[in-house]
Amino acid sequence: MNPNETLITKFYTAFANADAKTMSECYHPKVHFVDPAFGLLKEDQVSKMWEMLLIKSKGNLKIEFSNVKADDSTGSANWVATYNFSKTNRKVINKIRAEFVFKDGLIIKHTDNFDVWEWSKQAFGPTGYLLGWTGFFQKKVQKQALLSLQKFQEST
């Protein structure tokens, strides 16, 4: 494994072990994170998001990762999060494709991609099936996610 593959492995191993501190250590101070649920997060917001998600999961989050690849500047991995969605208590198995950009031996850009409609169907049931594919519903989910993160940041 090259150093960036080792870094990705360290990140997801920490995630699987609910170790937000070690996850945070893998990020560059100027990190940018993008995903369908939160949109764009920057710098401290990124580590706080993972910390919040780990705390909210109350130990009921299973993380599996595979297909870790990286070179000197970019990398990728597949990962699966299995958990109960907090708002509905419905089981979600979210399959995610992560892409990374590295700087100074750390992750400077992290992009997670997943099928929002598939996630919505699992998280929200019939409502997610009917509306999860719409921009309106996706924006509402993102707004709620960002509000949760903001409240978490204010409380810590």
Side-chain angles (χ1 to χ4, degrees), residues 14 19 31 65 77 106 120 125 134 136 145:
D19 182 355
V31 67
F65 65 97
L106 297 169
S120 297
T134 66
F136 168 79

Side-chain angles (χ1 to χ4, degrees), residues 7-66:
L7 183 64
I8 293 170
T9 300
K10 176 183 175 181
F11 178 85
Y12 285 111
T13 301
F15 197 2
N17 293 323
D19 182 355
K21 183 180 183 293
T22 300
M23 291 173 73
S24 181
E25 291 169 359
C26 297
Y27 282 132
H28 190 280
K30 298 289 184 187
V31 67
H32 284 198
F33 173 85
V34 178
D35 88 340
F38 287 89
L40 173 64
L41 300 177
K42 296 179 183 180
E43 302 171 359
D44 290 342
Q45 287 180 310
V46 181
S47 293
K48 285 295 185 183
M49 174 203 57
W50 295 122
E51 183 183 349
M52 176 186 77
L53 293 174
L54 287 170
I55 289 170
K56 281 188 169 191
S57 75
K58 298 177 182 162
N60 295 315
L61 172 65
K62 180 180 171 189
I63 300 297
E64 299 170 286
F65 65 97
S66 62

Side-chain angles (χ1 to χ4, degrees), residues 48-108:
K48 285 295 185 183
M49 174 203 57
W50 295 122
E51 183 183 349
M52 176 186 77
L53 293 174
L54 287 170
I55 289 170
K56 281 188 169 191
S57 75
K58 298 177 182 162
N60 295 315
L61 172 65
K62 180 180 171 189
I63 300 297
E64 299 170 286
F65 65 97
S66 62
N67 204 23
V68 173
K69 295 179 182 172
D71 57 27
D72 290 341
S73 57
T74 63
S76 62
N78 296 326
W79 63 284
V80 178
T82 304
Y83 59 96
N84 286 352
F85 184 59
S86 60
K87 295 216 180 302
T88 61
N89 202 35
R90 295 176 61 89
K91 185 175 181 175
V92 172
I93 301 171
N94 197 12
K95 297 175 183 175
I96 301 150
R97 173 75 177 165
E99 296 179 0
F100 303 94
V101 176
F102 305 101
K103 182 178 180 184
D104 303 329
L106 297 169
I107 300 164
I108 186 108

